[in-house]
């Protein structure tokens, strides 16, 4: 908690809600590539699945890489390789010359 207060101050719940990506779907114009592990104990996977659902409901471009059993830090070499390959594909799709 001290680290967060030192880093971002002491926001109220209302302050945090104002900056929630899930509450700002209509302002998102760029394609989103969301990566998450199903065993993440820092950011609950439900937050990712909820965000993806909202993006799709609002017709926003979103691609997802769900990593079963992976944690927040993407600790396994297998996961890191999957991520690099998926990022390469995502960028090739959206960053055309």
């Amino acid at each position: 908690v001290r680290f967060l207060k030192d880093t971002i101050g002491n926001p109220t719940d209302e302050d945090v809600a104002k900056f929630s990506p899930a509450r700002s779907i209509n302002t998102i114009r760029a394609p989103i590539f969301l990566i998450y592990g199903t065993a993440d104990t820092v950011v609950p996977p439900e937050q990712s699945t909820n965000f993806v659902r909202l993006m799709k409901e609002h017709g926003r471009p979103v691609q997802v890489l769900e990593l079963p059993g992976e944690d927040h830090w993407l600790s396994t070499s297998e996961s890191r390789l999957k991520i690099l390959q998926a990022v390469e594909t995502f960028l090739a799709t959206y960053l055309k010359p």
Side-chain angles (χ1 to χ4, degrees):
V1 172
R2 181 173 175 230
F3 170 78
L4 290 175
K5 286 182 180 179
D6 289 346
T7 305
I8 63 172
N10 193 16
T12 64
D13 289 344
E14 185 178 303
D15 292 333
V16 172
K18 282 192 279 188
F19 296 103
S20 167
R23 293 175 189 239
S24 304
I25 296 291
N26 290 325
T27 65
I28 296 173
R29 291 186 268 166
I32 300 293
F33 181 45
L34 186 70
I35 303 166
Y36 71 95
T38 61
D40 192 331
T41 58
V42 177
V43 178
E46 296 79 26
Q47 288 187 11
S48 298
T49 56
N50 182 56
F51 182 74
V52 170
R53 179 184 55 77
L54 290 170
M55 288 286 287
K56 289 179 178 180
E57 285 176 3
H58 288 85
R60 301 294 189 234
V62 61
Q63 289 187 13
V64 181
L65 178 59
E66 178 185 88
L67 300 166
E70 187 57 82
D71 61 22
H72 185 75
W73 297 273
L74 309 169
S75 296
T76 67
S77 296
E78 181 183 344
S79 291
R80 291 177 183 160
L81 181 58
K82 284 181 185 178
I83 291 165
L84 291 172
Q85 291 168 334
V87 167
E88 182 178 38
T89 300
F90 178 81
L91 293 175
T93 301
Y94 290 104
L95 294 181
K96 301 192 186 238

